Amino acid sequence: QVQLVESGGGLVQAGGSLRLSCAASGRTFSNYAMAWFRQAPGKEREFVAAVNRNGSSTDYADSVKGRFTISRDNAKNMVYLQMNVLKPEDTAVYYCAARSYLQAIRGDEYPYWGQGTQVTVSS
């Protein structure tokens, strides 16, 4: 089992940047593909980005391509989401998730989740 704790959320103006962090503990971090999901009020949870176990492969939702970057540091047991050119529609609670082996874009394929961090983008 792996435990995940997100940080780095906050309030930012449109066009600004934030970097989210997710600290993992428990089992060997490099055995897990990692992902970020988000959920806005009244909306379903949606996929944002995923990275494979060694960081060589990434996937992004179309809505964030070119603006967000997912990365990981296996030596530090950390995964990051750099968010640039933020828009009001990026406002949501952002969750870090982990699954063994291959990355995926479906939330139900991730058994491990953090508690979430709020990101609010003002217009």
Side-chain angles (χ1 to χ4, degrees):
Q1 189 159 339
V2 61
Q3 292 79 43
L4 304 171
V5 179
E6 302 95 335
S7 61
L11 174 64
V12 63
Q13 289 188 332
S17 299
L18 279 175
R19 188 175 85 151
L20 305 183
S21 299
C22 175
S25 61
R27 298 290 182 89
T28 304
F29 181 64
S30 58
N31 287 343
Y32 295 88
M34 302 297 297
W36 288 95
F37 290 79
R38 66 186 182 186
Q39 187 166 21
K43 294 188 177 181
E44 293 188 354
R45 181 181 61 196
E46 65 173 354
F47 169 76
V48 175
V51 62
N52 69 347
R53 288 179 290 166
N54 65 9
S56 63
S57 175
T58 56
D59 292 300
Y60 294 95
D62 287 344
S63 59
V64 307
K65 276 181 183 175
R67 299 189 298 123
F68 290 11
T69 301
I70 188 171
S71 62
R72 65 188 296 160
D73 185 337
N74 286 348
K76 296 181 178 179
N77 288 5
M78 297 290 294
V79 63
Y80 305 100
L81 185 68
Q82 178 66 44
M83 305 186 294
N84 298 328
V85 195
L86 282 160
K87 304 175 181 180
E89 51 264 43
D90 295 318
T91 295
V93 177
Y94 282 72
Y95 297 92
C96 176
R99 71 185 302 265
S100 296
Y101 304 115
L102 300 178
Q103 77 245 46
I105 64 172
R106 287 176 48 177
D108 59 6
E109 296 190 74
Y110 287 83
Y112 306 111
W113 293 82
Q115 82 290 349
T117 186
Q118 177 71 47
V119 172
T120 303
V121 184
S122 63
S123 57

